[in-house]
Amino acid sequence: MAAIIEKIITTDEIKTDEYLVNIGPQHPSTHGVLRLLTKLEGEIVHNVEPHIGYIHSGIEKMTEALSYPQIVHLTDRMDYLSAHMNNEAVCLCVENALQVEVPERVKYIRTIFDELQRLASHQLWWCASGMDLGALTAFFYGLRDREDILDIFEETCGARLTLNYSVPGGVMFDIHPNFQKNVKAFITKFRKKLPEYDKLLTDNIIFQNRTKGIGILSKEDAIAYGVTGPSGRASGFSCDVRKHHPYSAYPYIKFDEKMGTEGDSFTRWKLRMDEMWESMNIIEQLIDNIPEGDFAVKMKGVIKLPEGEFYQRVETARGEFGVYIVSDGKKNPYRVKFRSPGFSNLFTINHIAKGWKIADLVAIMATFDLVIPDIDR
Amino acid sequence: MTNEQLIAHLTSAYPDANVKQGNQYPEITVSHDKAHALMVHLKSDASLAFDYLVCESGVDYPAFIQVVYHLESTMHRHFIVVKTNTENRETATLETVSDIWPTAEFHECEIYDLLGVTFNNHPGLRRYFLDDTWGHPLRKDFKDDIHVVER
Amino acid sequence: MAFEKYDFTPITQSIHQGLIENVSPLLTTIIEWTIIGVLYLLFIAVFGLFLVYAERKVCAAFQQRLGPMRVGPWGIIQTIADFIKLLMKELITPKSVDKFLYNLAPFIVIIVPFLTISVIPFAPGLQSLDFDIGVFFVTAVSSVGVIGVLLAGWASNNKYSLIGGMRSGAQIVSYELSVGMSLITMVILAGTMQVSEIVELQRGGWFLFKGHLPALIAFTIFVIAGTAETNRGPFDLAEAESELTAGFHTEYSGIKFAFFFLAEYINLFIVSAMATIVFLGGWMPFHFGDWAAFNNVMDFIPGLVWFFLKVFGIIFLIMWFKWTFPRLRIDQILTLEWKYLLPINLFNILLMATMVLLGWHW
């Protein structure tokens, strides 16, 4: 008997079997139809294999049959939480290709919308990841404040989620007369509300234990895996397109690129919280100085891009979004490729979730802020 | 490096590659058999140090399939577009760059799925979006009799 | 004292007398058992439904919502409607489950609150079983519930359920210790395990105040461990819906699911009731020193009301935990128990014993 126990202790025979668990496609914490084929030993994650494609809608193929203004309307179906940034990316790409200079007013409006959209996205991320960690109350706090932004969007452009506000050459309508007043009121209000978010979760000891030191992504890996956005910046990878390749009104304003060093779940969390403050700073710099002028330049009825290839990068709430248009001079593009931030971010999950527990896998997914249609396109 | 310096440097370093200034970024076109060696060098050369693969996309042309790599250096902040063509469309094959940039592993799976380019030495090439009953929809000759109605 | 007029003993005695004079002793016992059984069944059903409603309203208040508002005034019939829905739902038994164990598990889980509730004194004279080992009985019986949870997790033949069941097993078995130890601490102070006597001993002051520091520590630990033992947030790992969809009861539907659901809420009541009895004086009114007028006013509130006020206070506290804190991880839960609560508890027992020995309590 003693010999058997000795044998069990000295060898690895005490090991239990590995087993596979499908997390998803329908699962509360995958935020959509993502399937993670997870190999577990007890509670410990040994391997995560993401299986995507459940909501693949063939947007890249569809664009080949559509004109450029039509493509804009497809893009906000990808990352629906960064709808305006996606719209803007295509618009900027088309404008750059045609060498169209949009009015200053458009640049300001677009940037304000970018940042409002970023705020709304981060709010939803905050509440949803709070829910992933088991704090259900957070969900309602976040959604409550997000309503205000959506109301502002609705007032100006009629849509709340998929804005479709940018069009090649400008924006679809001028801003609503109440826009500036409402945005300022919102920021005043949200500056008071945001510390509440920290009180509820960030300062909570259970929350910190759940996230600190968990799921560490090093800077080298962040660059190698192309992890951009707040998730990449939390690892120290300076990847803010707004800073390095400024577009719209970003060259005119002062803002910090928030950076982290640890690269763990908590840093990713904290960084997004900091970004919300920074977004409010950006909006405040712009909101009073929107120049007068046209809200769009007159574009041709049928937009034809010159022959060639065009690439435009923007910073969405999730990271770097790229539009690669190959044009053969017709009114439809020859090929459009969308470089979605979620796609690159998702596939690091196997790299960083190995060896952690299931609960940590959920926390890591939460802090990566995945939007599945953005990954599947 | 500025775009001009970059072009000058690349032209001298890779005489057999076609380097030119594109619409926005310097573009370098290499043949498929030299692509991998070139890209290893692009990353390891300290003055270039293209360590961030921004985007890898495939484009279907009548005679070949082109794979386009958008590369950025996080150190020097310069940007380059590398293009390489497969030999033909029927047996479109390329060398993987996932050993250079791990993120390419996933972008290559996408290209394999949607354009049918097989990547040699790829650690786990599989179809991401579609199952095997599908062809490769981003190819121009793709016909979908069920879902697409021709008018 | 004034509140003695709310004593239920005369009522129960007169019923017993009336029966014993008219029918045979055997029939008396049977009738009394039936009455008690029906009363407890009704109480558990109604109170369970009420707690579900209360939780939804409390959670709504925390989340700045209104909660159920449509069915009946302020939605008070909502849970009854839900319960009817659950009753009418089809009982789905998945194909590859272990049928016997699968069907057995909900009954084991629901049996525990029925057993433990029998020793709870709701008011003076309103208690069906008054063991001399009442506290021990509660701790012993309440640990049966984990078998049901483990069976449910195992028999469902679902990996999520299995993980949930195993987590729950590890968690409940661990936290049993803390619950038991903190009760032992108070038993040392009381010198008895008879529940009615423990309440009676607190006539001059609640044990929470009588036992001051060690009692306070024991109370804190009891509330934490009690929350963990009832599988409620932030310790709701067994059914962590963001990780395991619904944990051990993923595969249950209809009334079997309702059993798990009901058991959770009645266990919540039992934990709160035990905390009330052992620490907060059960049905004893709140007295403050020698403020005679204040104490007299307090005495006018019936013991039953006092009991439920205190219970609801603790239930609210536990609900507050659930709707504020994020969930812990399994290893953190076990670390909390084995590395923090248990050593503190052991030390606390020593402290209490020393205190009682030296007479340092009020």
PDB file of all heavy atoms in Angstrom, chain A residues 45-68:
ATOM      1  N   VAL A  45      -6.984  25.558 -17.474  1.00  0.00           N
ATOM      2  CA  VAL A  45      -7.064  25.604 -18.926  1.00  0.00           C
ATOM      3  C   VAL A  45      -5.731  25.152 -19.504  1.00  0.00           C
ATOM      4  O   VAL A  45      -4.684  25.685 -19.147  1.00  0.00           O
ATOM      5  CB  VAL A  45      -7.379  27.036 -19.388  1.00  0.00           C
ATOM      6  CG1 VAL A  45      -7.356  27.119 -20.893  1.00  0.00           C
ATOM      7  CG2 VAL A  45      -8.720  27.476 -18.848  1.00  0.00           C
ATOM      8  N   HIS A  46      -5.779  24.139 -20.362  1.00  0.00           N
ATOM      9  CA  HIS A  46      -4.540  23.679 -21.005  1.00  0.00           C
ATOM     10  C   HIS A  46      -4.403  24.199 -22.420  1.00  0.00           C
ATOM     11  O   HIS A  46      -3.314  24.383 -22.920  1.00  0.00           O
ATOM     12  CB  HIS A  46      -4.477  22.160 -21.007  1.00  0.00           C
ATOM     13  CG  HIS A  46      -3.918  21.611 -19.733  1.00  0.00           C
ATOM     14  ND1 HIS A  46      -3.417  20.363 -19.615  1.00  0.00           N
ATOM     15  CD2 HIS A  46      -3.788  22.179 -18.517  1.00  0.00           C
ATOM     16  CE1 HIS A  46      -2.991  20.163 -18.382  1.00  0.00           C
ATOM     17  NE2 HIS A  46      -3.208  21.242 -17.700  1.00  0.00           N
ATOM     18  N   ASN A  47      -5.533  24.398 -23.069  1.00  0.00           N
ATOM     19  CA  ASN A  47      -5.472  24.842 -24.455  1.00  0.00           C
ATOM     20  C   ASN A  47      -6.805  25.476 -24.817  1.00  0.00           C
ATOM     21  O   ASN A  47      -7.846  24.993 -24.413  1.00  0.00           O
ATOM     22  CB  ASN A  47      -5.180  23.651 -25.382  1.00  0.00           C
ATOM     23  CG  ASN A  47      -4.787  24.104 -26.755  1.00  0.00           C
ATOM     24  OD1 ASN A  47      -4.114  25.116 -26.906  1.00  0.00           O
ATOM     25  ND2 ASN A  47      -5.230  23.381 -27.754  1.00  0.00           N
ATOM     26  N   VAL A  48      -6.746  26.563 -25.540  1.00  0.00           N
ATOM     27  CA  VAL A  48      -7.976  27.201 -26.010  1.00  0.00           C
ATOM     28  C   VAL A  48      -7.869  27.321 -27.519  1.00  0.00           C
ATOM     29  O   VAL A  48      -6.905  27.878 -28.032  1.00  0.00           O
ATOM     30  CB  VAL A  48      -8.160  28.615 -25.422  1.00  0.00           C
ATOM     31  CG1 VAL A  48      -9.527  29.143 -25.766  1.00  0.00           C
ATOM     32  CG2 VAL A  48      -7.941  28.630 -23.945  1.00  0.00           C
ATOM     33  N   GLU A  49      -8.841  26.785 -28.199  1.00  0.00           N
ATOM     34  CA  GLU A  49      -8.827  26.895 -29.650  1.00  0.00           C
ATOM     35  C   GLU A  49     -10.076  27.666 -30.080  1.00  0.00           C
ATOM     36  O   GLU A  49     -11.181  27.135 -29.998  1.00  0.00           O
ATOM     37  CB  GLU A  49      -8.828  25.489 -30.258  1.00  0.00           C
ATOM     38  CG  GLU A  49      -8.345  25.468 -31.688  1.00  0.00           C
ATOM     39  CD  GLU A  49      -8.313  24.050 -32.220  1.00  0.00           C
ATOM     40  OE1 GLU A  49      -7.556  23.222 -31.646  1.00  0.00           O
ATOM     41  OE2 GLU A  49      -9.038  23.771 -33.178  1.00  0.00           O
ATOM     42  N   PRO A  50      -9.920  28.920 -30.475  1.00  0.00           N
ATOM     43  CA  PRO A  50     -11.114  29.667 -30.871  1.00  0.00           C
ATOM     44  C   PRO A  50     -11.645  29.179 -32.211  1.00  0.00           C
ATOM     45  O   PRO A  50     -10.884  28.998 -33.159  1.00  0.00           O
ATOM     46  CB  PRO A  50     -10.614  31.116 -30.977  1.00  0.00           C
ATOM     47  CG  PRO A  50      -9.253  31.128 -30.380  1.00  0.00           C
ATOM     48  CD  PRO A  50      -8.717  29.755 -30.524  1.00  0.00           C
ATOM     49  N   HIS A  51     -12.930  28.938 -32.261  1.00  0.00           N
ATOM     50  CA  HIS A  51     -13.593  28.593 -33.515  1.00  0.00           C
ATOM     51  C   HIS A  51     -14.555  29.720 -33.846  1.00  0.00           C
ATOM     52  O   HIS A  51     -15.466  29.990 -33.077  1.00  0.00           O
ATOM     53  CB  HIS A  51     -14.340  27.271 -33.389  1.00  0.00           C
ATOM     54  CG  HIS A  51     -13.441  26.089 -33.419  1.00  0.00           C
ATOM     55  ND1 HIS A  51     -13.356  25.249 -34.496  1.00  0.00           N
ATOM     56  CD2 HIS A  51     -12.553  25.630 -32.516  1.00  0.00           C
ATOM     57  CE1 HIS A  51     -12.464  24.307 -34.244  1.00  0.00           C
ATOM     58  NE2 HIS A  51     -11.964  24.514 -33.045  1.00  0.00           N
ATOM     59  N   ILE A  52     -14.317  30.340 -34.981  1.00  0.00           N
ATOM     60  CA  ILE A  52     -15.133  31.493 -35.322  1.00  0.00           C
ATOM     61  C   ILE A  52     -15.931  31.172 -36.579  1.00  0.00           C
ATOM     62  O   ILE A  52     -15.862  30.063 -37.098  1.00  0.00           O
ATOM     63  CB  ILE A  52     -14.272  32.754 -35.509  1.00  0.00           C
ATOM     64  CG1 ILE A  52     -13.201  32.520 -36.558  1.00  0.00           C
ATOM     65  CG2 ILE A  52     -13.640  33.148 -34.211  1.00  0.00           C
ATOM     66  CD1 ILE A  52     -12.406  33.730 -36.886  1.00  0.00           C
ATOM     67  N   GLY A  53     -16.668  32.125 -37.053  1.00  0.00           N
ATOM     68  CA  GLY A  53     -17.387  31.936 -38.302  1.00  0.00           C
ATOM     69  C   GLY A  53     -18.877  31.731 -38.136  1.00  0.00           C
ATOM     70  O   GLY A  53     -19.585  31.590 -39.117  1.00  0.00           O
ATOM     71  N   TYR A  54     -19.350  31.719 -36.897  1.00  0.00           N
ATOM     72  CA  TYR A  54     -20.779  31.488 -36.702  1.00  0.00           C
ATOM     73  C   TYR A  54     -21.609  32.679 -37.160  1.00  0.00           C
ATOM     74  O   TYR A  54     -22.799  32.555 -37.391  1.00  0.00           O
ATOM     75  CB  TYR A  54     -21.067  31.192 -35.228  1.00  0.00           C
ATOM     76  CG  TYR A  54     -20.555  29.849 -34.804  1.00  0.00           C
ATOM     77  CD1 TYR A  54     -19.278  29.708 -34.283  1.00  0.00           C
ATOM     78  CD2 TYR A  54     -21.337  28.727 -34.965  1.00  0.00           C
ATOM     79  CE1 TYR A  54     -18.796  28.472 -33.925  1.00  0.00           C
ATOM     80  CE2 TYR A  54     -20.860  27.489 -34.608  1.00  0.00           C
ATOM     81  CZ  TYR A  54     -19.596  27.364 -34.093  1.00  0.00           C
ATOM     82  OH  TYR A  54     -19.122  26.139 -33.745  1.00  0.00           O
ATOM     83  N   ILE A  55     -20.991  33.845 -37.232  1.00  0.00           N
ATOM     84  CA  ILE A  55     -21.752  35.009 -37.669  1.00  0.00           C
ATOM     85  C   ILE A  55     -21.050  35.669 -38.857  1.00  0.00           C
ATOM     86  O   ILE A  55     -21.195  36.844 -39.125  1.00  0.00           O
ATOM     87  CB  ILE A  55     -21.977  35.976 -36.475  1.00  0.00           C
ATOM     88  CG1 ILE A  55     -23.085  36.969 -36.775  1.00  0.00           C
ATOM     89  CG2 ILE A  55     -20.705  36.657 -36.054  1.00  0.00           C
ATOM     90  CD1 ILE A  55     -23.628  37.638 -35.568  1.00  0.00           C
ATOM     91  N   HIS A  56     -20.284  34.835 -39.592  1.00  0.00           N
ATOM     92  CA  HIS A  56     -19.616  35.349 -40.777  1.00  0.00           C
ATOM     93  C   HIS A  56     -20.669  35.744 -41.802  1.00  0.00           C
ATOM     94  O   HIS A  56     -21.494  34.935 -42.204  1.00  0.00           O
ATOM     95  CB  HIS A  56     -18.707  34.267 -41.358  1.00  0.00           C
ATOM     96  CG  HIS A  56     -18.028  34.672 -42.620  1.00  0.00           C
ATOM     97  ND1 HIS A  56     -17.127  35.704 -42.660  1.00  0.00           N
ATOM     98  CD2 HIS A  56     -18.127  34.212 -43.879  1.00  0.00           C
ATOM     99  CE1 HIS A  56     -16.704  35.840 -43.896  1.00  0.00           C
ATOM    100  NE2 HIS A  56     -17.298  34.957 -44.659  1.00  0.00           N
ATOM    101  N   SER A  57     -20.643  37.009 -42.192  1.00  0.00           N
ATOM    102  CA  SER A  57     -21.686  37.475 -43.108  1.00  0.00           C
ATOM    103  C   SER A  57     -21.127  37.848 -44.468  1.00  0.00           C
ATOM    104  O   SER A  57     -21.838  38.417 -45.290  1.00  0.00           O
ATOM    105  CB  SER A  57     -22.416  38.657 -42.480  1.00  0.00           C
ATOM    106  OG  SER A  57     -21.496  39.510 -41.858  1.00  0.00           O
ATOM    107  N   GLY A  58     -19.871  37.532 -44.699  1.00  0.00           N
ATOM    108  CA  GLY A  58     -19.327  37.756 -46.028  1.00  0.00           C
ATOM    109  C   GLY A  58     -19.318  39.201 -46.462  1.00  0.00           C
ATOM    110  O   GLY A  58     -19.566  39.504 -47.625  1.00  0.00           O
ATOM    111  N   ILE A  59     -19.028  40.097 -45.527  1.00  0.00           N
ATOM    112  CA  ILE A  59     -19.074  41.518 -45.861  1.00  0.00           C
ATOM    113  C   ILE A  59     -18.051  41.858 -46.935  1.00  0.00           C
ATOM    114  O   ILE A  59     -18.324  42.633 -47.848  1.00  0.00           O
ATOM    115  CB  ILE A  59     -18.873  42.356 -44.576  1.00  0.00           C
ATOM    116  CG1 ILE A  59     -20.144  42.281 -43.729  1.00  0.00           C
ATOM    117  CG2 ILE A  59     -18.551  43.803 -44.905  1.00  0.00           C
ATOM    118  CD1 ILE A  59     -20.089  43.019 -42.447  1.00  0.00           C
ATOM    119  N   GLU A  60     -16.873  41.222 -46.863  1.00  0.00           N
ATOM    120  CA  GLU A  60     -15.838  41.533 -47.850  1.00  0.00           C
ATOM    121  C   GLU A  60     -16.276  41.136 -49.252  1.00  0.00           C
ATOM    122  O   GLU A  60     -15.981  41.830 -50.223  1.00  0.00           O
ATOM    123  CB  GLU A  60     -14.528  40.832 -47.475  1.00  0.00           C
ATOM    124  CG  GLU A  60     -13.878  41.487 -46.276  1.00  0.00           C
ATOM    125  CD  GLU A  60     -12.631  40.768 -45.818  1.00  0.00           C
ATOM    126  OE1 GLU A  60     -12.149  39.886 -46.540  1.00  0.00           O
ATOM    127  OE2 GLU A  60     -12.158  41.097 -44.727  1.00  0.00           O
ATOM    128  N   LYS A  61     -17.001  40.035 -49.351  1.00  0.00           N
ATOM    129  CA  LYS A  61     -17.500  39.619 -50.665  1.00  0.00           C
ATOM    130  C   LYS A  61     -18.617  40.557 -51.127  1.00  0.00           C
ATOM    131  O   LYS A  61     -18.684  40.922 -52.309  1.00  0.00           O
ATOM    132  CB  LYS A  61     -18.006  38.182 -50.568  1.00  0.00           C
ATOM    133  CG  LYS A  61     -18.513  37.595 -51.879  1.00  0.00           C
ATOM    134  CD  LYS A  61     -17.375  37.296 -52.831  1.00  0.00           C
ATOM    135  CE  LYS A  61     -17.880  36.752 -54.164  1.00  0.00           C
ATOM    136  NZ  LYS A  61     -16.796  36.638 -55.141  1.00  0.00           N
ATOM    137  N   MET A  62     -19.476  40.926 -50.194  1.00  0.00           N
ATOM    138  CA  MET A  62     -20.591  41.803 -50.559  1.00  0.00           C
ATOM    139  C   MET A  62     -20.114  43.140 -51.093  1.00  0.00           C
ATOM    140  O   MET A  62     -20.721  43.712 -52.005  1.00  0.00           O
ATOM    141  CB  MET A  62     -21.494  42.038 -49.341  1.00  0.00           C
ATOM    142  CG  MET A  62     -22.521  40.953 -49.119  1.00  0.00           C
ATOM    143  SD  MET A  62     -22.836  40.740 -47.377  1.00  0.00           S
ATOM    144  CE  MET A  62     -23.994  42.012 -47.074  1.00  0.00           C
ATOM    145  N   THR A  63     -19.025  43.653 -50.500  1.00  0.00           N
ATOM    146  CA  THR A  63     -18.551  44.968 -50.930  1.00  0.00           C
ATOM    147  C   THR A  63     -18.179  44.976 -52.405  1.00  0.00           C
ATOM    148  O   THR A  63     -18.257  46.023 -53.049  1.00  0.00           O
ATOM    149  CB  THR A  63     -17.307  45.387 -50.131  1.00  0.00           C
ATOM    150  OG1 THR A  63     -16.347  44.348 -50.242  1.00  0.00           O
ATOM    151  CG2 THR A  63     -17.648  45.636 -48.694  1.00  0.00           C
ATOM    152  N   GLU A  64     -17.803  43.825 -52.931  1.00  0.00           N
ATOM    153  CA  GLU A  64     -17.360  43.787 -54.325  1.00  0.00           C
ATOM    154  C   GLU A  64     -18.503  44.070 -55.292  1.00  0.00           C
ATOM    155  O   GLU A  64     -18.281  44.332 -56.469  1.00  0.00           O
ATOM    156  CB  GLU A  64     -16.715  42.428 -54.635  1.00  0.00           C
ATOM    157  CG  GLU A  64     -15.388  42.278 -53.923  1.00  0.00           C
ATOM    158  CD  GLU A  64     -14.773  40.898 -54.102  1.00  0.00           C
ATOM    159  OE1 GLU A  64     -15.238  40.143 -54.955  1.00  0.00           O
ATOM    160  OE2 GLU A  64     -13.827  40.600 -53.353  1.00  0.00           O
ATOM    161  N   ALA A  65     -19.730  44.001 -54.793  1.00  0.00           N
ATOM    162  CA  ALA A  65     -20.867  44.279 -55.660  1.00  0.00           C
ATOM    163  C   ALA A  65     -21.526  45.608 -55.311  1.00  0.00           C
ATOM    164  O   ALA A  65     -22.569  45.935 -55.852  1.00  0.00           O
ATOM    165  CB  ALA A  65     -21.889  43.155 -55.551  1.00  0.00           C
ATOM    166  N   LEU A  66     -20.929  46.354 -54.403  1.00  0.00           N
ATOM    167  CA  LEU A  66     -21.580  47.584 -53.941  1.00  0.00           C
ATOM    168  C   LEU A  66     -20.728  48.799 -54.287  1.00  0.00           C
ATOM    169  O   LEU A  66     -19.519  48.694 -54.495  1.00  0.00           O
ATOM    170  CB  LEU A  66     -21.780  47.538 -52.419  1.00  0.00           C
ATOM    171  CG  LEU A  66     -22.693  46.439 -51.888  1.00  0.00           C
ATOM    172  CD1 LEU A  66     -22.665  46.455 -50.381  1.00  0.00           C
ATOM    173  CD2 LEU A  66     -24.108  46.613 -52.391  1.00  0.00           C
ATOM    174  N   SER A  67     -21.390  49.956 -54.326  1.00  0.00           N
ATOM    175  CA  SER A  67     -20.646  51.190 -54.541  1.00  0.00           C
ATOM    176  C   SER A  67     -20.093  51.673 -53.206  1.00  0.00           C
ATOM    177  O   SER A  67     -20.486  51.192 -52.145  1.00  0.00           O
ATOM    178  CB  SER A  67     -21.556  52.241 -55.160  1.00  0.00           C
ATOM    179  OG  SER A  67     -22.532  52.612 -54.222  1.00  0.00           O
ATOM    180  N   TYR A  68     -19.187  52.640 -53.267  1.00  0.00           N
ATOM    181  CA  TYR A  68     -18.479  53.036 -52.042  1.00  0.00           C
ATOM    182  C   TYR A  68     -19.403  53.597 -50.963  1.00  0.00           C
ATOM    183  O   TYR A  68     -19.277  53.222 -49.798  1.00  0.00           O
ATOM    184  CB  TYR A  68     -17.345  54.008 -52.372  1.00  0.00           C
ATOM    185  CG  TYR A  68     -16.263  53.312 -53.158  1.00  0.00           C
ATOM    186  CD1 TYR A  68     -16.170  53.462 -54.519  1.00  0.00           C
ATOM    187  CD2 TYR A  68     -15.377  52.472 -52.524  1.00  0.00           C
ATOM    188  CE1 TYR A  68     -15.203  52.800 -55.246  1.00  0.00           C
ATOM    189  CE2 TYR A  68     -14.407  51.788 -53.233  1.00  0.00           C
ATOM    190  CZ  TYR A  68     -14.319  51.958 -54.598  1.00  0.00           C
ATOM    191  OH  TYR A  68     -13.375  51.294 -55.298  1.00  0.00           O
TER     192      TYR A  68
END
